[in-house]
Amino acid sequence: MDKEGFERLMGMHGAPLLVGLRPACLLSFQRKTFADIEGLLASYQRCFQCKGISMYRLAESETCVMILFYRAAALSSMLHLPQARALLESLGYPVDGRLSDMLGELEHRVCTCTAFPHEIGLFLGYPVADVRGFMEHHGHAYRCSGCWKVYADEAKTRALFDLYASCTRTFCARLAEGTAFPELVQAV
């Protein structure tokens, strides 16, 4: 897949991050689909940096690369909310360290744990109550689901899901109409 395919994929799965509504998004790139993923990522690095977006490789294999795209200040703020911090600390994360230390711990868990670490929801901007609820109920007994399973404020989260969906539709439509990808990515 080429730049156009990469941009479509980023729009479909990352528009809320790209316009500044979410602190992060996680994408997995299949190497058979993106043969030159290294070159492709390098070609977008300047665009992302200029807009305040960083990339962190959470996992890598011969077949795929899993990358967290994030806005450092927004993600750090999210992870340092008292409830998020308490949950991460209870799981052994270095909450007094830098964001890079927490990302390093997440990477370690993604690569070594037998189950995917559910606290990744905090890194993606999910409400702490929903991440905690998912962990406590093992993915069951949720009130509704959309971008994630909701255990707490259903009305507020449904409105957020609608906002994310609208953002994604608008982003992808403008991209399809020919608006340049860097013009659609907002600096926040």
Side-chain angles (χ1 to χ4, degrees):
M1 217 177 254
D2 57 2
K3 285 187 169 204
E4 185 178 306
F6 176 82
E7 291 175 358
R8 277 195 319 269
L9 185 67
M10 287 296 300
M12 286 297 301
H13 300 285
L17 161 74
L18 298 172
V19 302
L21 296 176
R22 286 181 70 177
C25 71
L26 181 64
L27 279 90
S28 183
F29 298 94
Q30 298 297 316
R31 291 186 188 275
K32 67 181 179 185
T33 304
F34 294 95
D36 184 22
I37 188 65
E38 304 305 326
L40 197 55
L41 292 172
S43 73
Y44 283 91
Q45 183 141 8
R46 185 168 174 220
C47 168
F48 288 141
Q49 283 179 339
C50 288
K51 305 294 184 162
I53 297 171
S54 300
M55 295 182 267
Y56 190 92
R57 290 172 189 250
L58 281 179
E60 198 165 352
S61 71
E62 289 181 20
T63 59
C64 74
V65 178
M66 186 183 306
I67 299 175
L68 183 74
F69 294 85
Y70 66 97
R71 292 181 186 271
L75 181 56
S76 185
S77 292
M78 177 76 182
L79 297 177
H80 283 93
L81 291 171
Q83 289 181 327
R85 184 181 166 102
L87 179 56
L88 289 170
E89 187 173 35
S90 75
L91 296 169
Y93 278 79
V95 295
D96 292 327
R98 301 175 315 234
L99 176 59
S100 61
D101 296 333
M102 287 193 273
L103 290 171
E105 180 63 21
L106 179 62
E107 175 187 6
H108 172 75
R109 290 168 182 262
V110 166
C111 293
T112 61
C113 293
T114 55
F116 204 73
H118 300 304
E119 68 273 10
I120 199 166
L122 297 174
F123 289 82
L124 297 174
Y126 301 177
V128 178
D130 293 335
V131 173
R132 186 179 300 280
F134 186 89
M135 294 169 82
E136 290 172 357
H137 297 284
H138 307 286
H140 301 289
Y142 51 91
R143 295 179 181 186
C144 72
S145 66
C147 300
W148 60 84
K149 290 183 178 177
V150 179
Y151 291 86
D153 193 340
E154 182 179 349
K156 181 178 176 183
T157 307
R158 282 185 185 275
L160 197 55
F161 290 166
D162 290 344
L163 177 64
Y164 291 167
S166 175
C167 167
T168 300
R169 281 190 306 275
T170 300
F171 189 99
C172 291
R174 291 193 60 209
L175 191 61
E177 291 167 356
T179 305
F181 184 80
E183 287 180 40
L184 294 171
V185 179
Q186 301 294 307
V188 176

